Amino acid sequence: MIRAMNSLMSSLRRLNLFAFSRHRPTPLPETPRLTSQDVTVVIPSLQGDGGELWNTIRSILATEPHEIILVTVEAHELRARMMVKTIGTSKVRIFSVAQPNKRRQMVRAIPEVHTEITIFADDDVTWPTTLLPWMLAPLEDEQYGGVGTNQRLRRAECPNFQQRIWGFLGALYLERRNFDCASCMYMDGGLPCLSGRTVAYRTRILRDPAFTYGFTHEEWLGRYQLNADDDNFITRWLVSHGQKISYQYHKQSEVHTTLEDNPKFLKQCLRWSRSNWRSNVTSMFCDRHIWTSAAHVHYFSASEVEYPLANTYCRLQPWSTYAVHLTTISHWAIAWDTLLVYMYFKSTELWDHDSRTFGLVVLACWMLTSKFIKLLGHYIRYPGDFLLLPVSVLFGYFHGLIKGYAMLSLNVVRLCVVVLRQNTHILKSYETFTPFPRLSTVNQRSLGN
């Protein structure tokens, strides 16, 4: 049994590696129909100012989009306007919403977009000047509704030891995500999620009234209106509406971003884990479009937007279901590794001591290799980080506790409010806990359900 399990897992990992090595981005067309002037970039920002946002806007302006729309909160709108005035550009327009809510900020900008393509970007990313042609290449095909990019961590300059450890873990998170996206995209055209750090969509999809309602009224457990998980919702929307998605894994489409380089990184992991639970459970058991096409037709009757080929097929994603969505439920590193070692000792009770020891060494090597093979690209770029491999392994086990706590606390809703105190805008956050009601993941009253 242990040999059969090892053989099966090894075969699946080799297949994933093969898929990653074979993935190729959509090449640039010789005579592109879409150019940078067909792109509007929307940046939802809470503070509306700051060094990170300045760098983000400058790097985006260097790609020459049609314009940038910055959406902040009313309390910070003046700061945002002063920043744009300091930058000295007429390509940035400022809008605001009353309360901080990323989805509402995104929706506020959509009616103001006058281009065919809308790109959402976080306020802490850095774009290469070559990004837009690569993001637009797949959208030359009308069947594609969204395009994502590969992402790397912008490493801190002269970090202290603590920053290096947290930065290392953050870099591996992005590296692992790049691997999963590329391999799944090659296998069946799916991926975990089109990350909202930088992602392109067709504007007509975002203007669909059914989309707007669903986006701003999505609920978890039939009670909690979601502010986060915006990129997960849009990705599921594209899949359910028969829109193809693309992932441009290429150096010239590589977006750099920042993550927490302190213990707050654990809170980020917890937030991401909650998002994965909510979205993957919804994809597998509520929407079900990733593994069955029987339930998708009714979505389109309520839509006023034409979705090419949407009424004729909904592309299945069997490999992505196995490799990404199911891992939310099934992948518990410390439990599986413990079980694997236990099964090894039980199945080799009759072996002699030398053979049993040799087999254990082989098993340990195989287990260790499986934990860094996805991350090989990072270690090639930064060979010194290989010394931190034990940190990665231990954090993988610890992350199981984070995922377990996330599963038990999906009824936690994080709210943000702006408080005025002595003319200073102070951002506060708090958490509310309520009992688990019935399972009803998405409010879809306007979508025909």
Side-chain angles (χ1 to χ4, degrees), residues 155-168 261:
R155 293 165 72 95
E157 298 181 4
C158 303
N160 57 39
F161 180 75
Q162 178 181 238
Q163 289 176 319
R164 184 178 180 187
I165 295 296
W166 294 116
F168 167 72
D261 56 1

Side-chain angles (χ1 to χ4, degrees), residues 312-361:
T312 58
Y313 83 101
C314 186
R315 186 171 184 172
L316 303 183
Q317 301 174 4
W319 181 260
S320 298
T321 302
Y322 154 74
V324 175
H325 297 92
L326 275 176
T327 57
T328 300
I329 300 174
S330 63
H331 185 68
W332 303 85
I334 192 167
W336 282 112
D337 285 2
T338 301
L339 179 61
L340 197 58
V341 173
Y342 171 78
M343 292 174 63
Y344 172 80
F345 278 105
K346 294 296 291 184
S347 62
T348 59
E349 288 179 337
L350 301 180
W351 291 15
D352 62 78
H353 179 269
D354 290 343
S355 298
R356 204 178 193 192
T357 301
F358 177 76
L360 182 60
V361 171

Side-chain angles (χ1 to χ4, degrees), residues 26-38:
T26 302
L28 300 181
E30 293 184 3
T31 55
R33 180 182 65 85
L34 297 172
T35 69
S36 63
Q37 292 305 301
D38 296 302

Side-chain angles (χ1 to χ4, degrees), residues 178-304:
N178 289 337
F179 182 96
D180 289 337
C181 288
S183 58
C184 289
M185 183 58 58
Y186 176 81
M187 292 295 292
D188 58 19
L191 42 66
C193 168
L194 287 170
S195 172
R197 293 184 182 91
T198 294
V199 59
Y201 300 110
R202 294 194 185 277
T203 304
R204 60 174 172 76
I205 296 175
L206 304 177
R207 285 181 174 169
D208 182 355
F211 167 84
T212 301
Y213 184 89
F215 187 60
T216 55
H217 291 79
E218 185 185 13
E219 295 178 349
W220 172 250
L221 300 176
R223 180 179 299 182
Y224 313 123
Q225 186 168 325
L226 293 177
N227 175 13
D229 308 354
D230 53 278
D231 46 8
N232 286 298
F233 177 91
I234 303 178
T235 303
R236 293 197 308 272
W237 180 274
L238 294 178
V239 172
S240 68
H241 286 68
Q243 295 288 283
K244 291 184 178 181
I245 54 181
S246 182
Y247 177 72
Q248 293 291 73
Y249 186 82
H250 193 278
K251 182 66 176 177
Q252 293 186 347
S253 62
E254 183 177 283
V255 173
H256 287 198
T257 187
T258 60
L259 298 175
E260 295 289 354
D261 56 1
N262 53 62
K264 291 182 180 179
F265 177 73
L266 299 178
K267 292 185 178 181
Q268 285 187 318
C269 290
L270 180 60
R271 187 175 72 251
W272 295 331
S273 188
R274 287 195 184 112
S275 294
N276 287 338
W277 274 108
R278 287 190 289 255
S279 183
N280 291 346
V281 167
T282 299
S283 294
M284 289 188 293
F285 304 117
C286 297
D287 294 349
R288 304 190 304 280
H289 302 296
I290 57 176
W291 58 275
T292 176
S293 59
H296 81 283
V297 177
H298 64 270
Y299 274 93
F300 310 107
S301 59
S303 174
E304 299 177 9

Side-chain angles (χ1 to χ4, degrees), residues 40-49 52-53 56-57 60 68-73 76 80 83 93-97 99-110 118-125 127 196-199 201 215 227 230-231 234:
T40 296
V41 182
V42 176
I43 307 176
S45 175
L46 180 62
Q47 299 298 335
D49 193 6
E52 291 284 357
L53 180 56
T56 296
I57 291 178
I60 294 175
I68 298 173
I69 297 179
L70 176 64
V71 187
T72 185
V73 293
H76 296 161
M83 178 197 66
R93 289 194 288 158
I94 309 293
F95 296 93
S96 63
V97 296
Q99 295 293 334
N101 182 306
K102 186 176 181 181
R103 295 198 189 202
R104 297 286 177 178
Q105 289 172 259
M106 295 165 70
V107 168
R108 174 64 184 88
I110 291 171
T118 300
I119 295 183
F120 291 115
D122 281 355
D123 59 3
D124 61 350
V125 297
W127 285 14
R197 293 184 182 91
T198 294
V199 59
Y201 300 110
F215 187 60
N227 175 13
D230 53 278
D231 46 8
I234 303 178

Side-chain angles (χ1 to χ4, degrees), residues 1 24 32 44 51 53 115 120 174 289 297 353 356 370 386 426:
M1 184 176 181
R24 298 292 183 272
L53 180 56
T115 56
F120 291 115
L174 295 176
H289 302 296
V297 177
H353 179 269
R356 204 178 193 192
S370 69
F386 199 81
I426 303 171

